[in-house]
Amino acid sequence: TVSDRGINDNEQGNCVACDVGRYANMSADICVDCAPGQSQKLEKQDSCEVCDSGKYQNKHKQTRCENCPDQTFTDDSVVIKS
C-alpha cells in the first residue's frame, strides 16, 4: 500500500520513496518511470510534470525537459523541425 504521498511499500513492508524521474502510481501501488514528454525532479511524487511549451523530453525516467534546438518547436512534447 502507499504509505505516504508518493511513497511506495516494497516487498519487505518498508516504505521506500519513488526516485526522481519516477512517480508513485497510487492505484497499482508501484513506482513508474515518467514517460517521454514528462519529467520529475523530486522524490516522493504522485505524478510527472508535462514539458512546457518550447521544451521536450524524448526519454523515459528523466528529471528535466530540454530546450528545443534552434529552428524547432514542440507539438505535444515531440520536437518538430520548422
Side-chain angles (χ1 to χ4, degrees), residues 2 4 9 13 30 33 37 40 46-47 49 53 57-58 66 71 80-81:
V2 175
D4 194 3
D9 282 344
I30 57 172
D33 292 351
Q40 182 49 261
D46 57 10
S47 66
E49 301 292 323
S53 178
Q57 184 47 260
N58 58 1
E66 303 292 337
Q71 305 300 314
I80 308 293
K81 292 185 179 182

Side-chain angles (χ1 to χ4, degrees), residues 9-64:
D9 282 344
N10 64 14
E11 291 81 26
Q12 290 79 35
N14 300 317
C15 291
V16 294
C18 293
D19 294 333
V20 295
R22 306 184 88 198
Y23 71 96
N25 181 320
M26 302 299 198
S27 61
D29 193 28
I30 57 172
C31 293
V32 178
D33 292 351
C34 293
Q38 303 176 341
S39 66
Q40 182 49 261
K41 63 182 177 181
L42 303 172
E43 294 181 339
K44 304 179 185 178
Q45 301 303 303
D46 57 10
S47 66
C48 293
E49 301 292 323
V50 175
C51 294
D52 292 331
S53 178
K55 295 184 179 263
Y56 77 101
Q57 184 47 260
N58 58 1
K59 299 177 183 173
H60 291 270
K61 197 178 176 183
Q62 298 300 302
T63 59
R64 67 185 179 130

